[in-house]
């Protein structure tokens, strides 16, 4: 219930109570008036009657008494009219029919008036003698009816007043409480969150102040609310933006991740699985085969003479060959088989559910047939050969790593035996275990001075004197005996051991050159470096360190690098060679004629020498083709202003031929095989070739 209604009802109640009390008081007045009027009237009429009846009573004229009293009784409203004689005996006692004199008002009004009407007694006294008495009891009927009418009128007036007052009150309250109402409504709206609510300033001063406070508060709340709403909108926008960016980034990352995962598990050149994925697939296949009691064939394949393709036709052609082989393998095998490139020219295949040994061999033959179809490249048909090793799960092992190792063993057996394929057998394993162990042994060998440098002299044609020596590394293996570079340099190149190996060779060779110089033998020393070395950004520093540590002069050092090594990353090689040249170190191109180097590059390379490959030199005396090639190469070198060295001079005839062709110097078994360090000093002193001044 609203405050206004409650207030109104309270005030109205007060008015009603007041009015009722007023009416009650009025009725009380009426009651008293009625009683008093009756008494007075009764007394007055009794006195009149006593006068009228004095004579008839004295004369004892009872008939007159009777008629007088009856006449009076008929005219007036009496409840009783009696005349008693002097002894108190009733001469006449009249009482009317009560029904006739009942007032015409509601009973409750009569009950409420509760009138106690006393009879008035008048004595008939003449000359001091009492002749009797008159009892008169007047009816209050008329008075009651009049009182009723008055009460009704009063009640009507009171009711009208209540209505009037109430209406007036309502109007006054409506006007007086309007600001409060507005205030209350405004506060309610504010409470409901509508901070734009304002109240018009009306009413009293205090009220005005209150409204000001409310308006102020509302304004502040509104400002706060707006600020918060703006902040919320900003946060919402930022959130949306962030969400969008996170989504975009997540999508990008997912793609990048997928790409990275693909890259991590695939070979970049052929886009087939790499060693990691092969291992995973093999393990998976083993799990399935174990459950289904089936076999898995693992095959490892290595291309024959791939190095030759790479060396003679360039690495680009080599890459194309590898890609073609990958495609062929993929095509010849089932979708469920895995073909992977393990690196270099090595591939592996996992064939789940391959059946027995015979079925696996059949599959291997199919693979080899597919690989051996000549590949047409640059207008030439290239013959590709391969050696393939086979193992079966569970026959040759139940673990992926052992199966891989044994497939490798079988592959090497196939290569050695030139049989195309070979199924694993334990006998072949002995050799292979040694081969696997070699890597860790080589690391140890570099650190423990198991490596030895042999030196092969180069002889200058013009002076017939020794001009320098080439350092050729050997490995004095505790079990295998003296090992030649072809048996461990490729391993070192594959396993990053080439860096420490070259550093060791550089230091040892320079140390040796210092000994010669101290001994008045001014000889240059040539060191062979690999492709990996020339591409290593730290290589220049390694050379500088070796020079610094040994105290050798840069002039005493010559570095030999093959064309193929240069062509792997020509730009890097050209820059490195330029820097070495700047340091004072001389460069020679080794095995010249076997790789493919364009004239454009040759001009850019700051090299001093070319070394014609021994494969052309060794047979040049008997093979005219080779002789032509050697002549051309010498001419080419001279045209570029380079000194030309011939390698593989095995006879004096070749020596003579080369001398005729104008070759600058020669190296070969004819003059000397590579000399072990302990024999070197003796050889240098006793040699017919003597020394040539630097
Ligand atoms: P290369 O640089 O062409 O070295 C010349 C190779 O030809 C040597 O074989 C040498 O013994 C051999 N040779 C010399 N004269 C004749 C000859 O008249 N007839 C025949 N048939 N062969 C001759 P070696 O010492 O077995 O070295 C093989 C290859 O190993 C070297 O070929 C070189 O590429 C590499 N190599 C040797 N030492 C190192 C080294 O310290 N570091 C690196 N990275 N490679 C090296
Ligand atoms: Ca060499
Ligand atoms: Ca060579």
């Amino acid at each position: 219930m609203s405050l206004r209604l409650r207030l109104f009802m309270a005030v109205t109640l007060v008015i009603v109570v007041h009015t009722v009390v007023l009416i009650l008081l009025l009725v009380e007045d009426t009651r008293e008036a009625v009683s008093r009027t009756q008494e007075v009237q009764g007394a007055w009429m009794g006195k009149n009657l006593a006068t009228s009846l004095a004579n008839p009573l004295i004369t004892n004229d009872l008939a007159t008494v009777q008629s007088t009293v009856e006449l009076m009784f008929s005219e007036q409203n009496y409840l009783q009219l009696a005349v008693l004689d002097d002894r108190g005996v009733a001469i006449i006692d009249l009482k009317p029919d009560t029904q006739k004199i009942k007032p015409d008002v509601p009973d409750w009004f009569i009950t409420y008036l509760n009138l106690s009407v006393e009879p008035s007694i008048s004595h008939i006294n003449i000359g001091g003698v009492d002749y009797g008495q008159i009892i008169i009891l007047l009816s209050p009927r008329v008075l009651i009816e009049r009182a009723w009418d008055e009460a009704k009128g009063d009640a009507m007036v009171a009711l009208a007043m209540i209505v009037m007052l109430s209406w007036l009150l309502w109007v006054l309250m409506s006007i007086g409480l309007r600001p409060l109402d507005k205030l209350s409504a405004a506060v309610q709206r504010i409470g409901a969150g509508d901070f734009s609510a304002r109240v018009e300033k009306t009413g009293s001063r205090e009220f005005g102040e209150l409204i000001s406070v409310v308006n102020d508060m509302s304004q502040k709340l509104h400002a706060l609310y707006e600020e918060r709403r703006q902040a919320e909108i900003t946060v919402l926008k930022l959130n949306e933006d962030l969400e969008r960016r996170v989504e975009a980034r997540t999508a990008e990352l997912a793609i990048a991740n997928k790409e990275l995962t693909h890259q991590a598990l695939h070979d970049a050149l052929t886009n087939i699985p790499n060693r990691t994925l092969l291992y995973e697939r093999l393990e998976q296949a083993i799990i399935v085969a174990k459950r289904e009691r089936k076999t898995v064939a693992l095959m490892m394949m290595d291309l024959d003479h791939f190095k030759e393709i790479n060396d003679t036709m360039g690495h680009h052609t080599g890459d194309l060959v590898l890609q073609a082989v990958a495609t062929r393998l993929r095509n010849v095998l089932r979708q469920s088989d895995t073909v992977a490139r393990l690196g270099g020219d090595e591939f592996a295949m996992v064939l789940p559910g391959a059946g027995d040994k015979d079925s696996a061999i059949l599959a291997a033959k199919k693979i080899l047939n597919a690989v051996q179809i000549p590949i047409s490249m640059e207008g030439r048909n290239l013959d590709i050969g391969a050696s393939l090793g086979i193992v079966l799960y569970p026959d040759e092992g139940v673990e992926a790593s052992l199966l891989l190792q044994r497939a490798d063993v079988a592959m090497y057996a196939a290569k050695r035996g030139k049989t195309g394929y070979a199924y694993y057998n334990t006998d072949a394993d002995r050799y292979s275990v040694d081969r696997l162990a070699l890597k860790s042994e080589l690391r140890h060998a570099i650190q423990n001075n198991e490596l030895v440098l042999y030196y092969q002299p180069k002889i200058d044609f013009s002076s017939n004197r020794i001009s320098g020596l080439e350092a050729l590394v050997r490995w004095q293996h505790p079990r295998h005996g003296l090992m030649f570079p072809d048996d461990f340099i490729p391993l070192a190149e594959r396993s990053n051991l080439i860096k420490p190996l070259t550093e060791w060779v550089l230091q040892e060779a320079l140390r040796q050159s210092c000994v010669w110089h101290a001994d008045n033998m001014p000889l240059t020393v040539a060191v062979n470096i690999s492709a990996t070395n020339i591409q290593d950004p730290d290589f220049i520093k390694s050379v500088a360190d070796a020079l610094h540590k040994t105290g050798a002069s840069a002039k005493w050092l010559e570095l030999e690098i093959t064309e193929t090594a240069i062509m792997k990353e020509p730009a890097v090689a050209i820059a490195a060679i330029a820097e070495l040249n700047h340091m004072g170190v001389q460069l020679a191109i080794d095995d010249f004629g076997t790789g493919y180097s364009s004239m454009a590059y040759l001009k850019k390379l700051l090299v001093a020498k070319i070394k014609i490959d021994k494969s052309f030199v060794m047979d040049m005396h008997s093979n005219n083709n080779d002789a032509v090639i050697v002549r051309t190469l010498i001419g080419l070198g001279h045209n570029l202003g380079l000194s030309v060295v011939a390698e593989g001079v095995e006879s004096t005839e070749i020596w003579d031929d080369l001398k005729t062709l104008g070759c600058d110097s020669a190296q070969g078994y004819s003059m000397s095989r590579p000399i072990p360090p302990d024999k070197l000093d003796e050889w240098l002193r006793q040699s017919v070739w003597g020394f040539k001044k630097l």
Side-chain angles (χ1 to χ4, degrees):
M1 205 187 290
S2 78
L3 173 72
R4 190 199 302 210
L5 195 63
R6 267 186 276 178
L7 204 64
F8 173 75
M9 279 167 65
V11 175
T12 310
L13 191 72
V14 169
I15 295 171
V16 170
V17 169
H18 253 88
T19 314
V20 168
V21 169
L22 221 68
I23 291 174
L24 288 181
L25 285 174
L26 273 171
V27 172
E28 192 57 36
D29 274 358
T30 311
R31 184 178 21 230
E32 267 178 34
V34 170
S35 305
R36 213 170 35 250
T37 310
Q38 247 185 336
E39 263 172 48
V40 173
Q41 257 186 3
W44 179 74
M45 290 178 81
K47 220 156 114 188
N48 276 351
L49 191 61
T51 312
S52 309
L53 292 181
N55 276 337
L57 275 175
I58 293 171
T59 57
N60 209 19
D61 180 3
L62 288 175
T64 306
V65 170
Q66 180 122 13
S67 63
T68 307
V69 170
E70 276 178 358
L71 182 73
M72 204 171 147
F73 188 75
S74 66
E75 284 168 6
Q76 284 290 334
N77 243 338
Y78 297 98
L79 286 179
Q80 188 183 11
L81 186 55
V83 179
L84 309 179
D85 63 13
D86 57 340
R87 290 175 312 235
V89 179
I91 300 164
I92 186 164
D93 188 358
L94 297 172
K95 280 180 186 163
D97 177 0
T98 43
Q99 205 52 46
K100 276 186 187 165
I101 54 148
K102 195 175 177 288
D104 188 15
V105 298
D107 287 344
W108 63 264
F109 189 69
I110 299 166
T111 317
Y112 176 73
L113 275 179
N114 191 22
L115 285 171
S116 59
V117 195
E118 294 292 323
S120 64
I121 298 164
S122 306
H123 291 272
I124 306 161
N125 193 297
I126 303 152
V129 181
D130 206 0
Y131 290 95
Q133 49 188 313
I134 297 163
I135 296 170
I136 292 176
L137 188 57
L138 281 167
S139 159
R141 178 182 166 186
V142 179
L143 289 171
I144 285 172
E145 281 174 350
R146 197 179 309 145
W148 171 243
D149 286 342
E150 271 175 29
K152 270 200 295 189
D154 287 351
M156 286 310 286
V157 171
L159 201 67
M161 255 174 66
I162 287 169
V163 171
M164 281 273 291
L165 278 172
S166 300
W167 177 77
L168 202 68
L169 186 71
W170 183 259
V171 170
L172 281 174
M173 264 180 12
S174 292
I175 295 165
L177 293 179
R178 193 170 292 151
L180 194 62
D181 275 354
K182 283 185 183 169
L183 193 66
S184 155
V187 170
Q188 272 178 14
R189 274 167 67 192
I190 292 166
D194 175 7
F195 299 118
S196 63
R198 292 284 175 285
V199 191
E200 227 176 279
K201 262 198 192 179
T202 48
S204 66
R205 192 174 55 82
E206 288 86 349
F207 216 75
E209 275 168 14
L210 184 61
I211 286 169
S212 294
V213 169
V214 170
N215 277 345
D216 215 32
M217 181 186 79
S218 167
Q219 211 165 356
K220 277 180 186 152
L221 277 175
H222 186 67
L224 269 176
Y225 171 76
E226 267 305 308
E227 215 173 277
R228 214 188 68 186
R229 210 167 60 89
Q230 283 305 330
E232 267 173 16
I233 289 169
T234 315
V235 167
L236 215 71
K237 271 191 192 153
L238 280 175
N239 258 349
E240 274 173 14
D241 201 41
L242 198 70
E243 251 169 51
R244 264 201 304 277
R245 271 162 45 195
V246 165
E247 261 172 37
R249 196 80 192 98
T250 309
E252 267 172 35
L253 279 177
I255 293 169
N257 236 344
K258 218 173 143 188
E259 264 169 29
L260 275 180
T261 314
H262 186 87
Q263 273 172 26
L265 297 176
H266 289 79
D267 169 49
L269 178 66
T270 57
N271 203 30
I272 60 174
N274 62 12
R275 188 183 286 274
T276 314
L277 188 53
L278 174 94
Y279 198 88
E280 248 175 52
R281 296 263 177 93
L282 179 60
E283 280 190 320
Q284 275 303 316
I286 289 171
I287 290 168
V288 176
K290 193 174 184 177
R291 199 173 52 223
E292 297 177 358
R293 296 180 184 284
K294 286 189 175 161
T295 62
V296 180
L298 172 68
M299 301 185 186
M300 215 173 264
M301 190 185 89
D302 189 279
L303 300 184
D304 296 337
H305 314 300
F306 178 71
K307 193 177 174 314
E308 276 166 32
I309 297 173
N310 235 357
D311 285 351
T312 53
M313 299 190 68
H315 67 100
H316 178 66
T317 309
D319 286 353
L320 293 177
V321 168
L322 290 173
Q323 285 169 341
V325 169
T327 311
R328 287 178 179 188
L329 292 175
R330 212 26 298 157
N331 289 343
V332 80
L333 291 173
R334 284 175 302 193
Q335 197 67 36
S336 51
D337 300 337
T338 297
V339 179
R341 180 172 169 226
L342 303 184
D345 54 353
E346 228 174 75
F347 293 84
M349 287 137 280
V350 177
L351 289 73
D356 59 5
K357 184 176 165 181
D358 288 340
S359 330
I361 288 173
L362 215 66
K365 282 181 181 168
K366 222 170 77 180
I367 292 166
L368 284 174
N369 282 340
V371 172
Q372 275 158 2
I373 301 167
I375 297 177
S376 160
M377 206 141 296
E378 293 169 6
R380 279 170 64 181
N381 271 345
L382 293 180
D383 280 319
I384 313 285
S387 302
L388 200 149
I390 315 161
V391 285
L392 271 183
Y393 164 90
D395 303 9
E396 312 312 335
V398 291
E399 273 177 16
S401 54
L402 185 65
L403 287 168
L404 275 164
Q405 194 182 312
R406 293 192 161 168
D408 197 50
V409 170
M411 183 182 79
Y412 271 87
K415 205 170 237 333
R416 264 202 322 280
K418 298 192 194 319
T419 51
Y421 66 87
Y423 190 87
Y424 170 80
N425 86 56
T426 352
D427 295 345
D429 218 1
R430 270 198 47 74
Y431 171 83
S432 103
V433 168
D434 288 348
R435 204 174 62 81
L436 289 172
L438 222 53
K439 191 174 136 190
S440 61
E441 286 177 358
L442 179 57
R443 193 187 304 277
H444 181 262
I446 299 166
Q447 288 160 1
N448 290 276
N449 273 330
E450 279 179 23
L451 301 182
V452 195
L453 288 186
Y454 278 45
Y455 296 92
Q456 190 178 31
K458 279 177 283 178
I459 313 298
D460 202 88
F461 279 107
S462 59
S463 63
N464 272 352
R465 296 275 168 135
I466 172 170
S467 62
L469 297 108
E470 180 178 3
L472 295 160
V473 72
R474 306 285 182 263
W475 181 1
Q476 190 61 59
H477 193 280
R479 281 180 292 119
H480 300 307
L482 192 68
M483 286 174 71
F484 284 82
D486 285 344
D487 286 337
F488 62 88
I489 290 289
L491 178 76
E493 282 173 343
R494 277 205 302 273
S495 57
N496 262 341
L497 285 172
I498 194 67
K499 187 177 172 174
L501 186 144
T502 305
E503 281 171 359
W504 183 87
V505 173
L506 270 170
Q507 279 205 29
E508 178 54 23
L510 287 172
R511 191 197 58 76
Q512 183 61 62
S513 84
C514 287
V515 173
W516 296 328
H517 279 81
D519 254 2
N520 278 326
M521 292 185 274
L523 297 165
T524 58
V525 69
V527 168
N528 293 284
I529 58 168
S530 295
T532 324
N533 295 135
I534 200 75
Q535 274 140 39
D536 179 1
D538 294 339
F539 178 65
I540 310 283
K541 194 175 167 288
S542 297
V543 175
D545 279 356
L547 288 168
H548 181 75
K549 268 191 198 162
T550 54
S553 162
K555 286 188 296 191
W556 306 344
L557 179 64
E558 205 175 275
L559 296 176
E560 293 185 10
I561 181 159
T562 64
E563 276 180 282
T564 327
I566 293 168
M567 293 320 291
K568 270 196 175 156
E569 286 281 358
V572 180
I574 289 168
I577 289 169
E579 202 161 330
L580 288 164
N581 207 60
H582 184 72
M583 279 166 64
V585 178
Q586 289 210 337
L587 269 294
I589 300 180
D590 208 351
D591 301 349
F592 193 73
T594 56
Y596 96 118
S597 45
S598 76
M599 287 295 286
Y601 279 127
L602 271 182
K603 275 189 204 156
K604 277 191 199 164
L605 287 169
L606 293 170
V607 293
K609 274 182 194 154
I610 53 170
K611 290 181 86 175
I612 301 175
D613 192 66
K614 56 181 176 284
S615 61
F616 306 115
V617 177
M618 281 184 323
D619 294 333
M620 67 179 280
H621 192 66
S622 51
N623 184 323
N624 196 40
N625 266 353
D626 285 352
V628 172
I629 292 172
V630 170
R631 194 171 60 229
T632 314
L633 292 177
I634 292 170
L636 178 71
H638 285 166
N639 277 339
L640 289 166
L642 306 175
S643 169
V644 180
V645 185
E647 285 185 322
V649 180
E650 292 186 345
S651 66
T652 47
E653 288 89 354
I654 297 173
W655 168 270
D656 292 339
D657 290 350
L658 288 164
K659 191 169 183 166
T660 317
L661 289 172
C663 192
D664 298 289
S665 43
Q667 182 180 349
Y669 292 170
S670 171
M671 290 79 84
S672 169
R673 286 184 173 256
I675 308 157
D678 52 334
K679 303 267 165 55
L680 188 64
D681 199 51
E682 192 194 334
W683 188 91
L684 285 170
R685 290 183 195 290
Q686 292 181 0
S687 154
V688 290
W689 309 103
F691 296 109
K692 182 179 184 282
K693 290 259 180 299
L694 275 175

